[in-house]
Amino acid sequence: MEILLVEDNPGDARLAAEAFKEGTIPTHLHVASDGIEAMAFLRRQGRHESAPRPDLILLDLNLPRKDGREVLAEIKEDPALRRIPVIVLTTSQAESDVSRAYDLHANCYIVKPVDFDRFIDVVKGIEDFWCSLVKLSPV
């Protein structure tokens, strides 16, 4: 399973990578550190010309250069990308962010825990549900 993590915090990206390594499903985690890099990866532009199509996107909302809300809108407006499930994984608990994410057709909204063990549990839960139970679109 190919997963694109769009996360500007290197510590959180490292935690997610470790959690997926410990998982039971073979995954390839790709990390984009901002919204512009994420869209280049998804559109296979520049250094990402041979990037795989992700089966799942984990998206932070508060990103440099292009924020996660803009990225989510672009993904869901693009016929070639809109079927990729996007899980918003962010620290924001603001009701306005939750509502806006779902208005932009996020598939799920998870508030990122600050506790290390809980963060690992959340990532494992994502893997269990999205990588094991859900039948994802082939294209």
Side-chain angles (χ1 to χ4, degrees):
M1 171 163 263
E2 302 290 340
I3 299 173
L4 175 61
L5 172 63
V6 187
E7 174 60 66
D8 64 321
N9 181 322
D12 287 350
R14 197 169 37 255
L15 284 176
E18 287 301 317
F20 279 112
K21 275 184 196 172
E22 292 179 14
T24 57
I25 307 294
T27 58
H28 296 101
L29 186 67
H30 308 273
V31 179
S33 60
D34 63 54
I36 291 174
E37 184 181 1
M39 294 312 301
F41 183 95
L42 291 167
R43 293 186 173 136
R44 298 180 175 138
Q45 298 170 334
R47 68 184 182 96
H48 301 289
E49 66 183 329
S50 62
R53 181 184 190 276
D55 299 299
L56 186 64
I57 299 169
L58 304 178
L59 178 65
D60 189 11
L61 289 183
N62 303 309
L63 298 167
R65 300 201 306 159
K66 179 181 286 196
D67 85 356
R69 296 156 196 83
E70 294 173 278
V71 172
L72 179 58
E74 284 186 42
I75 291 168
K76 295 303 182 178
E77 289 171 359
D78 187 326
L81 303 174
R82 71 172 54 140
R83 289 186 182 173
I84 302 171
V86 178
I87 298 170
V88 173
L89 181 62
T90 188
T91 56
S92 175
Q93 297 183 39
E95 288 183 23
S96 60
D97 281 337
V98 176
S99 296
R100 179 79 176 129
Y102 283 118
D103 286 345
L104 293 171
H105 305 287
N107 296 85
C108 163
Y109 191 103
I110 299 172
V111 176
K112 196 186 308 180
V114 291
D115 174 75
F116 170 79
D117 291 330
R118 184 71 186 117
F119 184 83
I120 297 294
D121 289 343
V122 165
V123 172
K124 286 180 179 178
I126 290 169
E127 180 192 42
D128 289 345
F129 183 76
W130 288 98
C131 302
S132 298
L133 296 175
V134 174
K135 176 72 172 155
L136 298 172
S137 174
V139 230

